[in-house]
Amino acid sequence: MSPTARAAAMLGAIALLALALPPAVTSVAVVVFAAALVTDTLLARRPLKLRRTVPTVLARGVPASLRVDALPEGRGRVEVRQPRVPDIDIEPATARSALDSTVIARRRGQHVLPAVAARRDGPLGLGSWYFRGDARAEIVVYPDVPAARRLALAVRRGRFRAPGRHTRGPLGLGTEFETIRDYRPDDDVRQINWRATARTGRPMSNQYRIEQDRDVVCLVDAGRLMAAPLADRTRLDAALDAVTAVAFAADELGDRSGVLAFDREVLRDVPPRRRGGERVLRAIYDLEPRSTDSDYDLAFRRVGGGKRSLVLVLTDLLDEAAGRALLDAVPVVARRHAVVVASVRDPDLDAALAAVPRVPHDVYRTVVALDVVDARARVATALRRAGAEVLEAPPATFTEAC
């Protein structure tokens, strides 16, 4: 129990009146006040039920709703509060009668929301009583699954367009000829079968089907370089968002997807399998970077002897010294597999290069940014010479680029 501000104000008023009133009158006023306070507090103590509704699974950075309803017995103002925890934003955290909040998880993994709390004031507003819910809520935070599913759905419907890139079909690598049909207005001009058009007298198109039953293996670097921050996430967060989208897209295309996460040792290993997106997601959702150097040779040896696959390596291209282990390991796996090395472009570097220098410090910062960008470009060139394709994109479009 606890007296309210109103009770404190009334007690102060009685103390001031005691200077002018007889002691007997003051004593009666104190007794009446004490009786009212006790009675009000007992009324506030009547049972109060708290019911919380919150999703047990969230996606990092995606808003979700949290609601707490207070079901009181008797009268009195009720204030409901959901205690905050690190890495989860709750706004608002307090409200009267019912709490309707927005929850945004900033970090993947498993989190626990404490039990909700409530305070009810008595009908007179003099005394209050505190209540606590019975249970905590366990929440699992995944990577950005909604965005991954949207991309996979776009791939399935043939509507996916990565900025600045052509789609994978209808022509090119990964497609097979299926049949000849009448031309449709949205067909690519490269689909037109000119011989069939001349023979039939009307436009005809080749129809292709996408090859299926391929292996897509994502190698996720969880070493120290992937702990670098990118605004509201880390490089590893951006990489896991991309892995999730790639795995779900592989499910839609009938391919097999798997993942291998590593630093100086193998942390997670999910072999490629059909409809493997959910298994990939459950394996990597709580992965966190560690302050160790990554052993690329160890990871590549784990996938090097398997079936020819698309190997997507998600790491950071910093400079020649940091990328030496990667440069030495890529030729071994590139002889058998198609290798793509994907890295998030640092927005801070882009901002430093785009800013107009105003003081000497700005010039020094720009020079350092140029050195870093040049070092990354040299690593990318060396990787291409070693047989890998290199992909760099800003955080906002990195998932689509992969």
Side-chain angles (χ1 to χ4, degrees), residues 26-27 125 141 161 167 229 238:
T26 304
S27 300
V141 181
R161 296 291 187 275
T167 58

Side-chain angles (χ1 to χ4, degrees), residues 12-51:
I14 292 173
L16 291 176
L17 291 175
L19 299 176
L21 296 177
V25 176
T26 304
S27 300
V28 172
V30 171
V31 171
V32 172
F33 170 76
L37 176 61
V38 172
T39 302
D40 203 42
T41 303
L42 291 176
L43 291 175
R45 189 183 177 184
R46 299 186 65 180
L48 177 67
K49 295 181 180 178
L50 299 174
R51 183 175 60 195

Side-chain angles (χ1 to χ4, degrees), residues 64-66 97 193 255 261 289 335 363 370 372:
S65 62
L66 179 148
S97 301
N193 189 314
D255 295 332
R335 287 197 292 265
V363 177
L370 284 171
V372 174

